[in-house]
Amino acid sequence: MAGADITTHLQSIERFIVMVHGSPRQLSLSEILVMQAHVDAMLDEIVAGWPVDTSSSRDAWTYTTNSVVGDVSFTLDNRVEYVEFVHFAGDPTLLIDGFVPDVIDAHLPAMLADMKAEILATEIRIKANRARGGRGFIDVIQYARKAS
């Protein structure tokens, strides 16, 4: 394996959307931005804690997010060949197997709470749009695109 991909599927968010929306839907722009802010914080913590003597692998961390129906997730990615072998001096535990998952796990509770709060706010906008005779989610995401 060259490099590392660590994907976290947010199935509880997908279930929450179905519960409050009544059916699956993609994330709105504001919900995506909440997810990205938390993944940015994870990446910052990983980079800050990564050994300096492996700066090529430290500086190669990136991420992608998915926000489509059935795939709400994020993937931390590092394409440096040796990244899967990096460990702290004196500790044989590979950072990919210990440190990185620990950072993700530490951030997930706040991320999920903030995403759920934003989903509820989006649902309020959807209901208000429908009450005015709009198309609901379609109008809400189109407005968000025009505003950005």
Side-chain angles (χ1 to χ4, degrees):
M1 176 174 141
D5 289 323
I6 303 161
T7 299
T8 303
H9 292 278
L10 303 178
Q11 294 171 330
S12 65
I13 293 298
E14 293 170 1
R15 288 190 301 272
F16 186 74
I17 288 171
V18 170
M19 184 181 78
V20 298
H21 186 70
S23 62
R25 68 164 174 80
Q26 70 187 54
L27 294 181
S28 69
L29 178 60
S30 61
E31 295 158 358
I32 293 167
L33 292 174
V34 169
M35 179 169 54
Q36 288 175 337
H38 283 278
V39 180
D40 279 337
M42 290 177 202
L43 217 53
D44 289 347
E45 188 172 334
I46 290 168
V47 169
W50 206 257
V52 141
D53 59 347
T54 61
S55 62
S56 292
S57 65
R58 182 194 62 208
D59 298 340
W61 283 103
T62 62
Y63 72 86
T64 57
T65 58
N66 289 311
S67 59
V68 297
V69 175
D71 187 14
V72 176
S73 63
F74 62 90
T75 301
L76 302 179
D77 181 66
N78 191 313
R79 296 291 92 209
V80 172
E81 287 182 26
Y82 62 84
V83 70
E84 63 197 74
F85 303 109
V86 175
H87 57 87
F88 292 122
D91 183 349
T93 306
L94 302 176
L95 297 185
I96 290 295
D97 295 333
F99 174 65
V100 174
D102 289 347
V103 169
I104 294 169
D105 289 346
H107 284 264
L108 275 179
M111 175 189 218
L112 297 175
D114 289 349
M115 287 183 72
K116 287 178 179 180
E118 190 57 37
I119 289 164
L120 289 174
T122 299
E123 289 300 320
I124 289 169
R125 291 190 296 274
I126 290 169
K127 286 180 177 79
N129 178 273
R130 285 187 181 142
R132 292 188 307 271
R135 297 174 294 173
F137 185 72
I138 293 170
D139 288 342
V140 169
I141 63 171
Q142 284 180 343
Y143 173 75
R145 285 188 186 133
K146 289 177 186 173
S148 62

